[in-house]
């Protein structure tokens, strides 16, 4: 359905306007004078009925290509009413147009008046677009129309401003929340490092010292990852990431990444399933960062000892798809679409697992900038699979 024009219906002064607009569309479509008038009368009659009940209505005109013929449709959206197509109030309009339908949807009632256009009216997409342009640019004729149009523009502007304000308030709230989480997340490993360092100073046994130094090393890596993510985020937001694209032997690359991921996630077994060799053009370090993040999350959000499976699929020509599957806590349906948003963390995990909700956002940006796609499937309590695909040609 292609929308040609719409008018808000605020009071009965709009009725002549609806009649005129319907007639102009009929005329532009090349309908006979009597068809133009009948259709326009039916439209303004239904508008009169709804205006008697409520003052906030919308009339929109559409063209619909029903494969063998085109239909001109006038849809009047009004507050939800008990009106139906057999209502006494619509009897007159019903006599004038062949199809009058009433739908109730999303808290509104929609009344559709449909007129099949004669086959002699040859419409193409180009002609329809011209008509849309004509309706948009057609000069306002009466002062009332002009005021109404200006009023509508002001209402739209106010709506846009309100929306901008709402979004900026949400962003501000998210930023302060993020700053408090970030300082907490950074402080936690630092406190642990300090504690281990103090104990290590008193240790005489070199083996125990190495054990403590290992723990300090692990915590320092956590701080490093967080700082790296913060730096990446600011680079990404300012479009300052330079990608060094090169042809990469993907199987070899993935095997190396998985081997080192096994070392940094010693409590999980990672199995790898490779496919036919492919050589995509990619930034080696950035795609490694994507994999480290996905495998790291798979380990973080599943219990020790659970398996992680990394798989490559090249069955679709010119495309490689990597999946990272875990047997972890899973993600609820409502959260699944949000996990790729900046700073998002599912409620259930925030207390138990460290993180800033930046990893998947950064990952998504990297994949998109490689012209790839990223998505996830998950069942709560059973596990999640994250996928990304990259072009290989
Ligand atoms: P972080 O892990 O630092 O919170 P991410 O951006 O990597 O940030 O992930 C965002 C959120 O998505 C996580 O907080 C978590 O709620 C959810 N999530 C990501 N990966 C997984 C996974 N493998 N299993 C379950 N939940 C996940």
């Amino acid at each position: 359905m292609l929308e040609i024009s719409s008018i808000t219906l605020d009071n009965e002064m709009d009725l002549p306007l609806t009649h005129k607009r319907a007639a102009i569309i009929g005329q532009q479509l090349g309908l006979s004078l009597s068809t133009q008038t009948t259709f326009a009368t039916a439209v303004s009659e239904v508008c009169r009925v709804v205006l008697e009940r409520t003052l906030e209505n919308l009339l929109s005109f559409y063209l619909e290509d029903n494969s063998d013929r085109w239909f001109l449709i006038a849809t009047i959206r009004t507050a939800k009413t008990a009106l139906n197509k057999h209502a006494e109030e619509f009897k007159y309009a019903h006599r004038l147009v062949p199809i009058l339908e009433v739908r109730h949807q999303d808290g509104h009632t929609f009344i559709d008046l449909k007129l099949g256009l004669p086959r002699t009216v040859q419409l193409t997409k180009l002609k329809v677009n011209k008509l849309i342009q004509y309706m948009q640019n057609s000069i306002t004729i009466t002062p009332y129309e002009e005021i109404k149009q200006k009023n509508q523009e002001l209402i739209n502007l106010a709506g846009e401003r309100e929306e901008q304000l709402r979004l900026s308030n949400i962003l501000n709230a998210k930023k302060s929340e993020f700053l408090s989480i970030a300082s907490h997340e950074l402080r936690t490993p630092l406190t642990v490092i300090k504690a281990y360092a103090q104990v290590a100073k008193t240790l005489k046994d070199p083996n125990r010292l190495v054990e403590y130094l290992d723990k300090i090393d692990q915590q320092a890596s956590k701080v490093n990852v967080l700082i790296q993510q913060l730096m990446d985020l600011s680079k990404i937001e300012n479009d300052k990431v330079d990608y060094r694209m090169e042809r990469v032997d993907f199987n070899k690359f993935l095997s190396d990444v998985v081997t080192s991921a096994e070392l940094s996630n010693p409590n999980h077994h990672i199995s790898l399933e490779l496919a036919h060799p492919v050589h995509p053009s990619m930034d080696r370090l950035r795609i490694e960062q994507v994999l480290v993040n996905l495998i790291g999350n798979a380990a973080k959000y599943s219990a020790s000892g659970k398996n992680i499976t990394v798989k490559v699929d090249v069955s679709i020509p010119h495309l490689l798809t990597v999946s990272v599957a875990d047997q972890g806590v899973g993600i609820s349906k409502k959260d699944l679409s949000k996990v790729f948003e900046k700073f998002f963390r599912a409620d259930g995990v925030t207390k138990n697992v460290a993180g800033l909700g930046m990893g998947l956002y950064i990952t998504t940006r990297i994949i998109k900038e490689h012209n790839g796609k990223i998505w996830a499937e998950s069942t709560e309590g059973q596990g999640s699979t994250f996928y990304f695909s990259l072009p290989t040609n």
Side-chain angles (χ1 to χ4, degrees):
M1 281 226 294
L2 298 162
E3 185 178 322
I4 318 168
S5 174
S6 65
I7 324 167
T8 54
L9 303 174
D10 308 316
N11 57 57
E12 67 278 9
M13 282 173 74
D14 289 324
L15 291 176
L17 206 61
T18 61
H19 192 281
K20 196 172 72 192
R21 199 71 71 93
I24 292 178
I25 293 172
Q27 185 195 36
Q28 289 299 313
L29 288 171
L31 302 181
S32 70
L33 190 61
S34 70
T35 315
Q36 284 169 37
T37 317
T38 338
F39 183 69
T41 310
V43 170
S44 63
E45 171 60 13
V46 173
C47 292
R48 187 190 61 73
V49 171
V50 298
L51 270 171
E52 271 173 11
R53 295 172 168 248
T54 155
L55 298 182
E56 276 183 34
N57 310 289
L58 181 75
L59 163 66
S60 306
F61 293 97
Y62 301 94
L63 276 171
E64 189 180 50
D65 182 3
N66 250 359
S67 66
D68 61 333
R69 73 191 294 194
W70 285 83
F71 278 83
L72 170 61
I73 304 171
T75 297
I76 296 102
R77 190 194 73 192
T78 183
K80 198 172 171 95
T81 72
L83 286 171
N84 63 48
K85 67 181 195 174
H86 304 295
E88 193 59 32
E89 289 93 326
F90 291 146
K91 263 208 171 132
Y92 179 52
H94 219 161
R95 256 185 261 140
L96 298 172
V97 282
I99 308 170
L100 186 153
E101 283 166 356
V102 179
R103 302 173 274 135
H104 303 286
Q105 208 177 309
D106 307 328
H108 286 105
T109 296
F110 296 84
I111 302 133
D112 300 314
L113 301 172
K114 294 191 185 180
L115 180 72
L117 300 182
R119 277 173 235 280
T120 48
V121 177
Q122 300 276 332
L123 279 186
T124 58
K125 287 259 154 68
L126 188 70
K127 278 191 186 165
V128 175
N129 284 337
K130 275 197 178 154
L131 174 61
I132 295 171
Q133 259 174 16
Y134 176 83
M135 295 309 291
Q136 274 168 1
N137 302 333
S138 65
I139 336 114
T140 48
I141 298 156
T142 63
Y144 173 68
E145 274 181 75
E146 203 174 328
I147 292 172
K148 189 173 163 64
Q149 195 174 324
K150 290 264 166 350
N151 193 27
Q152 191 55 44
E153 280 167 14
L154 283 176
I155 291 173
N156 291 348
L157 200 68
E160 276 169 28
R161 291 277 146 83
E162 231 168 73
E163 182 60 12
Q164 276 170 1
L165 192 69
R166 197 182 65 82
L167 290 177
S168 109
N169 283 343
I170 293 179
L171 212 65
N172 269 342
K174 271 192 169 181
K175 257 194 190 145
S176 356
E177 190 191 338
F178 168 74
L179 282 178
S180 91
I181 296 174
S183 35
H184 171 79
E185 292 295 328
L186 285 170
R187 205 177 297 132
T188 313
L190 283 177
T191 316
V192 181
I193 288 176
K194 241 176 152 332
Y196 280 132
Q198 267 162 14
V199 179
K201 278 198 281 189
T202 64
L203 290 173
K204 301 272 175 316
D205 176 356
N207 287 337
R208 295 219 50 212
L209 189 60
V210 169
E211 195 187 304
Y212 272 74
L213 288 176
D214 266 349
K215 288 189 170 144
I216 290 177
D217 192 30
Q218 277 168 19
Q219 297 297 323
S221 302
K222 274 193 190 168
V223 180
N224 202 18
V225 168
L226 290 175
I227 292 175
Q228 188 58 47
Q229 285 191 343
L230 283 169
M231 281 163 53
D232 278 345
L233 186 69
S234 96
K235 268 197 211 160
I236 278 177
E237 303 274 86
N238 297 311
D239 281 330
K240 289 226 169 93
V241 184
D242 277 333
Y243 289 92
R244 290 162 171 253
M245 305 302 269
E246 56 179 317
R247 289 277 163 201
V248 172
D249 175 344
F250 200 77
N251 281 349
K252 162 97 180 54
F253 160 80
L254 192 59
S255 310
D256 291 347
V257 174
V258 167
T259 307
S260 69
E262 269 180 321
L263 294 176
S264 26
N265 299 285
N267 297 328
H268 291 82
H269 174 251
I270 308 178
S271 50
L272 175 62
E273 294 178 29
L274 297 172
H276 289 304
V278 281
H279 295 80
S281 167
M282 61 184 220
D283 181 317
R284 194 182 269 279
L285 286 180
R286 292 288 169 193
I287 299 297
E288 177 174 348
Q289 186 182 353
V290 165
L291 284 157
V292 166
N293 181 239
L294 295 181
I295 298 173
N297 277 353
K300 227 162 58 163
Y301 299 107
S302 63
S304 282
K306 292 285 183 190
N307 283 337
I308 297 170
T309 308
V310 180
K311 207 193 270 184
V312 192
D313 178 355
V314 292
S315 55
I316 301 174
H318 313 300
L319 199 74
L320 81 87
T321 304
V322 178
S323 59
V324 177
D326 64 53
Q327 301 170 323
V329 292
I331 304 165
S332 69
K333 268 210 178 94
K334 123 179 127 48
D335 287 344
L336 197 57
S337 57
K338 297 194 202 140
V339 293
F340 300 101
E341 287 173 15
K342 189 163 48 171
F343 306 146
F344 177 82
R345 306 204 71 214
D347 281 343
V349 306
T350 41
K351 287 182 204 75
N352 308 326
V353 189
L356 288 173
M358 287 191 301
L360 285 178
Y361 174 73
I362 295 171
T363 295
T364 306
R365 292 289 295 251
I366 296 174
I367 293 297
K368 287 216 171 119
E369 273 157 39
H370 277 78
N371 296 322
K373 280 196 184 136
I374 180 159
W375 70 99
E377 288 167 1
S378 187
T379 310
E380 250 184 311
Q382 288 186 22
S384 314
T385 305
F386 280 79
Y387 300 86
F388 68 86
S389 61
L390 295 175
T392 54
N393 46 352

